[in-house]
Amino acid sequence: MKKLLIAFLLLLSCSIFGQMYNPVKWTTAVEKISDKEYILKAQAVIQSGWHLYGQYIEEGGPSPTAFTFKNAQKKFELIGKTTEDKGHETVDKIFDMKIKYFEEKAVFTQKIKFTSDEIVNVAAEVEFMVCDDSNCLPPSSEELSFKIPNAKKQALAGEKAISSEEDAVKITEKTIVKADIKDVNQPKKNESRGLVSIFIIAFLSGFAALLTPCVFPMIPMTVSYFTKQSKTKAAGIRNALIYGFSIIIIYVLLGSIVTAVFGADSLNALSTNVWFNLIFFILLVVFAVSFLGAFEIMLPNTLANKVDSQADKGGLIGIFFMALALAIVSFSCTGPIVGTLLVEAASKGGIAPIVGMLGFSIAIALPFSLFAAFPGWLNALPKSGGWLNTVKVVLGFLELALAFKFLSNADLVLQLHWLEREVFLTIWIAVFGTLAFYLFGKITLPHDSPLNHISVGRLGFGLIVLSFTIYLIPGLWGAPLKLISGFAPPMQYSESPDGFGAAKGSGETKSILPEGAELGPQNIITFHDYNKGMEFAKKAGKPVLLDFTGYACVNCRKMEELVWSDPKVLGVLKNEVVLISLYVDDKKELPENEQYVSETTGKKIKTIGNKWSDLQIKTYKANAQPFYVIVDHSSANLAEPSAYNPDIENYYNWLNAGIKNFKK
């Protein structure tokens, strides 16, 4: 079934490559505040399956939505910035940053104040970019007009504007068939998947916390308490369930407090903030050092004593306070794990901290409740011993490795290049290599028990860690390391993006590059100028692969990293074709004498990106990226153009078909 679905998606992507897309419709409305002040509203109605990017995206990401209000005569002033709907946010693995986008509808508002008695229409221009699961359109612009009504007509105009907007949405919903293609950037599906992932990770973390010396020994103590307090088996089961629910309530309440105090939006903003990442780097290092045995993080003894005294009262209140006592006493082991979970959940925003604490608390509560209800099961539990401290130390190493991810985030945002890919990988190799030596008994820490032999489980886990460490090593020489995609800095954020011994821009590299070419993705010789690339192809006697792409095109990066990296495909791209990559979102302005009005769209072509986008639209009747065309030296197609196609074998065959036709 899965193969059939993939085949269907590929067939669909091949059948729509030549389409022209216009997935966003803009409408405007005006709301009067006073005689001088108005709120301008611009609404985007977005076709199903497409998403529009927000206004505030860091440099290096997709092109953000941007509004320009034309005020040459200075008849009004803007009050504050243009605001936008809440939208949806996701961490994009390609751009390695948090990106905000909208689906179906987005409303942008701008408050203005007139400085002239003459009330006029307000003209504006919006520049925006949209993508779906397989295409990204180049940045486009549209003229907007806000008609300023007089006081008498204001109410009627507002009603009509709202009515027209609602009608537009209804029409869109009726006429556009919702796509079945799953898009990692589609919000509702992505959010639910993200929350499920948070829950599962938190649940597993809860089980890890159980196997620490602060928590595991408390299981028999708890069972003993309920055995003595419960006069019947039914009462014991009831009290055990109440105890478990109390644990869940305590941790979920903690997640709720974090969400309520900071707010979902603030958590999202903090997760990409430099200071936030630096602070949590320090916190995680402190947690790690604590787990490794340097010191213990403890809550005040007075708090523990007060809670413990309440637990002695018995009844429902006593059971609840006993659960609270468990949370406090075990804090030195669970605190670092809970803190890390809350930080990770914060990057997701919304109710993620609550979901995370729900998963964590269920894992903690489940064994306590079961063993309290069925005390005979205790005989199957392993005895406490040095293995509990081993679990704690392993968690310490994992916390230390994760800490450097936060430090890497801060370095990427500031572009300091202090923690480039090689440095990050070296640190992880050192951390996981040391952990492997620890598991093999070659390194001991202060709280470790004497190790006379290594258990089969410890040996097996040590081999897994050692294998992972060895897997990381080739990354120092440019291996992609797809297993840790999203954790390590991207390939281009490196001391040597082109591999050791072939630094980009070196004299040796420059000497082998044709005039006008540079090293592109996967070190493929690439031209960014159509004419220069065609001229070189004629001299070399090779066909041309036109790559209509964009700096902000997510699926273009996916093709370059996942498909072009395949040895078969890479061999063709490096040796059998001349690659011309035309960036449709290149903002460099054309010289004035080269600027023109497009015959196809009627828009003025002002930038290099406009020029390549117009070429794609005029020649191939398509405006989405990625878009690939194999042509001969007279620009005639050698094969049907191809769009986003993650099937390596299919893409390879498509390339070879074009090359065969060239050789005929």
Side-chain angles (χ1 to χ4, degrees):
M1 184 67 187
K2 186 176 179 183
K3 290 182 178 178
L4 287 174
L5 178 60
I6 292 171
F8 170 74
L9 295 181
L10 290 174
L11 180 62
L12 181 63
S13 96
C14 291
S15 66
I16 64 173
F17 71 85
Q19 293 183 10
M20 290 291 296
Y21 298 100
N22 187 23
V24 180
K25 301 292 184 185
W26 291 90
T27 58
T28 60
V30 178
E31 180 183 332
K32 185 176 181 179
I33 301 175
S34 66
D35 290 340
K36 294 286 187 181
E37 294 182 331
Y38 292 83
I39 292 178
L40 310 181
K41 294 183 179 181
Q43 176 174 278
V45 178
I46 310 162
Q47 288 183 8
S48 290
W50 291 85
H51 50 269
L52 171 75
Y53 292 107
Q55 299 177 92
Y56 308 109
I57 295 176
E58 297 174 28
E59 189 176 348
S63 294
T65 299
F67 289 86
T68 304
F69 293 90
K70 300 175 181 180
N71 190 20
Q73 298 178 354
K74 306 293 183 184
K75 291 186 177 180
F76 63 87
E77 60 183 27
L78 302 179
I79 301 176
K81 295 182 178 179
T82 304
T83 60
E84 60 190 21
D85 287 344
K86 183 179 178 181
H88 307 274
E89 291 189 349
T90 185
V91 176
D92 192 286
K93 292 183 179 179
I94 299 296
F95 294 107
D96 199 25
M97 66 174 65
K98 189 172 286 293
I99 293 175
K100 183 175 181 179
Y101 60 94
F102 305 95
E103 186 183 68
E104 295 184 355
K105 185 176 74 170
V107 178
F108 302 85
T109 59
Q110 175 64 59
K111 188 176 180 181
I112 67 168
K113 181 178 181 180
F114 282 94
T115 55
S116 169
D117 292 334
E118 182 184 355
I119 298 179
V120 296
N121 290 346
V122 176
E125 182 181 24
V126 57
E127 185 174 352
F128 58 97
M129 179 176 177
V130 289
C131 292
D132 71 353
D133 62 319
S134 59
N135 300 288
C136 279
L137 303 187
S140 181
S141 62
E142 187 153 333
E143 298 290 335
L144 302 177
S145 178
F146 298 88
K147 186 177 181 181
I148 307 299
N150 59 38
K152 294 180 181 179
K153 296 181 180 178
Q154 172 62 33
L156 182 60
E159 290 173 6
K160 287 182 178 179
I162 293 171
S163 175
S164 66
E165 290 172 358
E166 290 175 348
D167 290 343
V169 174
K170 288 177 182 176
I171 291 170
T172 303
E173 290 173 347
K174 288 180 181 178
T175 57
I176 301 169
V177 180
K178 291 187 177 180
D180 289 327
I181 301 172
K182 293 181 180 178
D183 178 7
V184 295
N185 288 327
Q186 289 190 18
K188 293 177 182 176
K189 296 177 183 178
N190 188 55
E191 285 174 5
S192 60
R193 286 198 296 268
L195 291 177
V196 170
S197 299
I198 285 287
F199 180 86
I200 293 172
I201 292 170
F203 188 78
L204 295 175
S205 300
F207 274 123
L210 275 172
L211 303 177
T212 59
C214 315
V215 183
F216 190 82
M218 295 192 70
I219 295 177
M221 293 170 58
T222 304
V223 173
S224 175
Y225 172 85
F226 283 112
T227 302
K228 292 176 182 177
Q229 295 294 322
S230 305
K231 296 179 180 179
T232 65
K233 185 176 181 181
I237 294 174
R238 185 195 67 221
N239 291 340
L241 290 175
I242 294 171
Y243 181 70
F245 280 119
S246 298
I247 293 172
I248 293 172
I249 289 169
I250 289 166
Y251 281 103
V252 170
L253 187 62
L254 175 62
S256 302
I257 291 171
V258 170
T259 303
V261 170
F262 293 101
D265 291 338
S266 297
L267 288 171
N268 276 320
L270 281 174
S271 65
T272 55
N273 181 273
V274 172
W275 288 108
F276 175 90
N277 282 284
L278 288 175
I279 289 170
F280 275 96
F281 163 71
I282 295 170
L283 280 178
L284 290 182
V285 169
V286 171
F287 290 159
V289 173
S290 172
F291 269 158
L292 294 175
F295 54 83
E296 286 193 356
I297 302 172
M298 302 288 291
L299 290 175
N301 288 329
T302 52
L303 177 62
N305 293 334
K306 286 181 181 179
V307 171
D308 194 48
S309 64
Q310 293 294 322
D312 293 335
K313 291 183 177 181
L316 294 178
I317 295 176
I319 293 173
F320 177 82
F321 275 99
M322 188 175 177
L324 184 58
L326 168 70
I328 292 171
V329 171
S330 63
F331 183 79
S332 62
C333 290
T334 60
I337 300 174
V338 169
T340 305
L341 279 174
L342 287 174
V343 172
E344 194 62 30
S347 67
K348 305 292 182 184
I351 62 169
I354 299 174
V355 172
M357 289 300 96
L358 178 64
F360 181 85
S361 58
I362 288 175
I364 290 283
L366 197 60
F368 276 94
S369 298
L370 289 174
F371 284 115
F374 307 101
W377 292 3
L378 276 176
N379 296 328
L381 278 181
K383 294 180 180 180
S384 300
W387 67 273
L388 291 175
N389 189 67
T390 301
V391 172
K392 192 176 176 183
V393 170
V394 169
L395 291 174
F397 277 106
L398 295 178
E399 293 264 0
L400 188 60
L402 184 60
F404 282 95
K405 172 57 183 168
F406 288 94
L407 185 61
S408 172
N409 289 344
D411 184 59
L412 281 166
V413 171
L414 295 174
Q415 288 291 296
L416 296 175
H417 289 267
W418 289 351
L419 197 63
E420 292 180 317
R421 187 176 176 87
E422 292 88 351
V423 178
F424 181 91
L425 291 176
T426 300
I427 292 170
W428 267 36
I429 289 168
V431 169
F432 285 103
T434 305
L435 174 57
F437 278 110
Y438 173 79
L439 291 170
F440 292 141
K442 302 301 180 183
I443 297 173
T444 57
L445 294 173
H447 297 291
D448 287 332
S449 303
L451 188 65
N452 299 321
H453 65 277
I454 299 176
S455 66
V456 174
R458 181 166 177 161
L459 176 64
F461 187 62
L463 289 172
I464 292 172
V465 174
L466 180 61
S467 300
F468 179 70
T469 306
I470 296 171
Y471 168 80
L472 294 176
I473 294 173
L476 297 173
W477 284 270
L481 304 182
K482 295 178 183 178
L483 280 181
I484 60 168
S485 176
F487 281 91
M491 296 282 287
Q492 62 269 25
Y493 197 75
S494 167
E495 291 181 1
S496 182
D498 307 300
F500 286 167
K504 196 169 185 177
S506 67
E508 183 182 350
T509 303
K510 285 184 177 179
S511 65
I512 64 171
L513 287 176
E515 184 181 354
E518 62 180 62
L519 289 179
Q522 307 298 336
N523 283 342
I524 302 166
I525 295 176
T526 309
F527 291 86
H528 295 311
D529 183 273
Y530 181 87
N531 294 326
K532 289 181 179 178
M534 291 298 291
E535 185 181 340
F536 177 77
K538 290 175 185 177
K539 293 178 182 177
K542 296 178 181 178
V544 171
L545 175 62
L546 292 179
D547 165 32
F548 289 95
T549 183
Y551 294 112
C553 173
V554 175
N555 286 318
C556 302
R557 301 295 86 76
K558 288 180 181 178
M559 288 293 292
E560 292 162 6
E561 292 184 8
L562 302 178
V563 178
W564 288 13
S565 62
D566 180 80
K568 291 188 301 184
V569 175
L570 190 58
V572 172
L573 295 177
K574 282 190 171 184
N575 303 313
E576 299 186 44
V577 298
V578 173
L579 178 64
I580 303 178
S581 293
L582 305 175
Y583 286 81
V584 299
D585 54 0
D586 192 329
K587 299 294 186 184
K588 297 186 189 73
E589 284 206 4
L590 291 166
E592 284 192 21
N593 62 337
E594 294 182 21
Q595 296 181 12
Y596 64 96
V597 176
S598 170
E599 297 175 1
T600 310
T601 64
K603 294 182 178 180
K604 188 171 183 180
I605 305 303
K606 298 184 289 186
T607 67
I608 293 175
N610 294 157
K611 178 182 176 181
W612 301 138
S613 178
D614 188 52
L615 173 67
Q616 182 187 359
I617 292 170
K618 182 179 178 180
T619 309
Y620 303 106
K621 303 297 184 286
N623 63 344
Q625 292 78 45
F627 189 81
Y628 307 104
V629 193
I630 301 181
V631 299
D632 62 17
H633 302 151
S634 61
S635 300
N637 289 10
L638 296 169
E640 287 294 321
S642 173
Y644 176 68
N645 184 2
D647 187 305
I648 294 173
E649 196 66 31
N650 188 292
Y651 190 79
Y652 174 72
N653 291 336
W654 173 80
L655 284 172
N656 279 334
I659 294 168
K660 266 186 190 176
N661 289 333
F662 176 77
K663 293 178 178 178
K664 284 181 181 178

